[in-house]
Amino acid sequence: MFIRQLHYLIALAEHRHFAQAAEHCCVSQPSLSTAIRQLEQELGITIIQRDHHFQGFTPEGGRVLAWARQTLASLDGLRQEAALAQTVAGGVLAIGAIPSAMRVVSLLINEYRREIPRLSLKVFALSTHDILGRLKKHELHVGIAYTEQCPADIYEALPLFSERFVLLTGVGATLPDNKVLSWAEVGQFPLCLFNHEMHNRRIIEYAFQQAGVSPTVVVETNALDVLYEMVSRGRVCSIAPISAVPACFFTHGIGIHPIMPQPAPEISLLRLRQENQPALLCSIWAMTPQCHLQQALDQAITRHAR
């Protein structure tokens, strides 16, 4: 068994096409196919379902793929330890984050690359469920998600911040004179909200229930740009965590208004529990608390609140 065969399996899982996987691995398609057939012969199982085209992995092949990812992740950690020794010079970091934390991801990336200039990053917007699954499969190095949804026996959690929800309004929206709004007041506006696939929507619904309010939701979406377009036109308002609102919104006429009381669910940086963590991941884990994310988000509310 050769390491390159494991790389071929993972490339095939990502591209689901023999020719594209071979191109990604910089080998010919026959070479890739032959290497995988040799691995099947060595293990005595069928890994790939195929006729003339790739049809997927067999159940046994799926388990081999999981082991391949784990093996290569361990090898990557070993290489980092050997190459980086005491100083982290660079590397690749794959981050999975819930959509409502994307503003925070940009803040973290700036800090990470300031400390590690040769660092390359891959960022994926995912649900908490997908983040946890990909961490277990070693497809991600770290995740950013709700702490309460992460089993502590499988994942380590480093608290980052507590979500702060704000009302987003467009130009011309008529609001009460008080600067901080109640959930009862917010519930009187026509709202565009993230849909129920997103955990923060369920948090918002619970806040309305606690206030005894039935909000008027006229648009639901899972896309931040749709929400922005609806609010910017001035016909509806929205509620979102400040951690989901890009800084550019504030220069295009979008107003933010604090809401009290705050549900304040905790968001954490996550990694898979394992005895030997890669050097790069240890460095990232150590520098993250120095980013002071809660302070940055609270200051954004203070600075831009109307």
Side-chain angles (χ1 to χ4, degrees):
M1 183 183 302
F2 296 98
I3 296 299
R4 61 180 172 80
Q5 292 170 307
L6 305 185
H7 282 291
Y8 294 168
L9 282 182
I10 292 174
L12 194 53
E14 292 178 353
H15 294 277
R16 306 190 67 80
H17 190 280
F18 283 106
Q20 293 176 9
E23 181 179 358
H24 176 80
C25 295
C26 300
V27 297
S28 67
Q29 181 177 336
S31 295
L32 182 139
S33 299
T34 299
I36 292 177
R37 287 189 183 278
Q38 289 172 345
L39 181 60
E40 289 177 321
Q41 293 172 3
E42 182 177 347
L43 296 177
I45 60 172
T46 300
I47 297 175
I48 305 297
Q49 295 176 344
R50 53 168 81 80
D51 45 28
H52 295 295
H53 303 284
F54 175 77
Q55 298 294 321
F57 286 82
T58 65
E60 297 82 3
R63 290 191 288 272
V64 171
L65 178 63
W67 275 104
R69 287 189 170 122
Q70 183 175 344
T71 299
L72 292 181
S74 298
L75 180 60
D76 181 60
L78 175 61
R79 284 171 173 161
Q80 286 185 29
E81 291 294 342
L84 303 179
Q86 299 300 318
T87 303
V88 177
V92 178
L93 186 73
I95 303 175
I98 54 176
S100 61
M102 279 301 160
R103 176 186 175 94
V104 166
V105 171
S106 64
L107 295 175
L108 286 175
I109 287 175
N110 287 336
E111 288 301 312
Y112 291 164
R113 296 203 72 254
R114 184 174 62 84
E115 294 293 329
I116 311 174
R118 285 159 47 190
L119 179 65
S120 297
L121 298 107
K122 299 179 181 180
V123 179
F124 305 91
L126 302 167
S127 67
T128 297
H129 178 268
D130 287 339
I131 289 170
L132 299 183
R134 293 197 185 193
L135 283 171
K136 286 184 72 174
K137 294 177 181 178
H138 299 277
E139 296 176 3
L140 297 174
H141 297 107
V142 293
I144 299 176
Y146 292 97
T147 311
E148 64 184 21
Q149 295 184 306
C150 306
D153 58 329
I154 302 175
Y155 306 95
E156 290 184 72
L158 179 65
L160 295 177
F161 62 94
S162 296
E163 277 190 331
R164 302 284 194 258
F165 289 89
V166 294
L167 180 72
L168 303 176
T169 60
V171 177
T174 303
L175 296 169
D177 293 333
N178 49 313
K179 193 170 184 179
V180 178
L181 304 176
S182 69
W183 289 95
E185 290 172 320
V186 170
Q188 297 175 14
F189 298 104
L191 296 172
C192 172
L193 298 180
F194 289 123
N195 60 30
H196 285 86
E197 295 175 0
M198 298 192 179
H199 185 59
N200 61 59
R201 171 61 184 279
R202 297 191 288 273
I203 294 170
I204 291 171
E205 293 284 357
Y206 182 73
F208 276 126
Q209 291 175 11
Q210 292 295 99
V213 177
S214 297
T216 303
V217 182
V218 297
V219 181
E220 295 180 284
T221 180
N222 63 355
L224 185 61
D225 54 349
V226 172
L227 185 149
Y228 166 73
E229 287 294 335
M230 294 299 300
V231 173
S232 65
R233 294 177 185 275
R235 299 291 183 89
V236 299
C237 301
S238 185
I239 302 168
I242 190 66
S243 55
V245 183
C248 63
F249 275 32
F250 308 132
T251 61
H252 290 79
I254 299 294
I256 68 170
H257 312 269
I259 308 171
M260 293 297 289
Q262 282 288 332
E266 185 180 71
I267 307 294
S268 287
L269 185 70
L270 308 172
R271 66 182 179 185
L272 194 64
R273 285 193 180 276
Q274 51 190 11
E275 186 173 348
N276 296 312
Q277 297 286 357
L280 174 60
L281 191 51
C282 288
S283 181
I284 292 297
W285 204 257
M287 74 173 69
T288 296
Q290 302 171 25
C291 297
H292 305 295
L293 296 175
Q294 189 72 70
Q295 180 181 346
L297 295 175
D298 291 346
Q299 286 178 348
I301 295 178
T302 302
R303 187 180 309 116
H304 300 288
R306 293 181 178 177

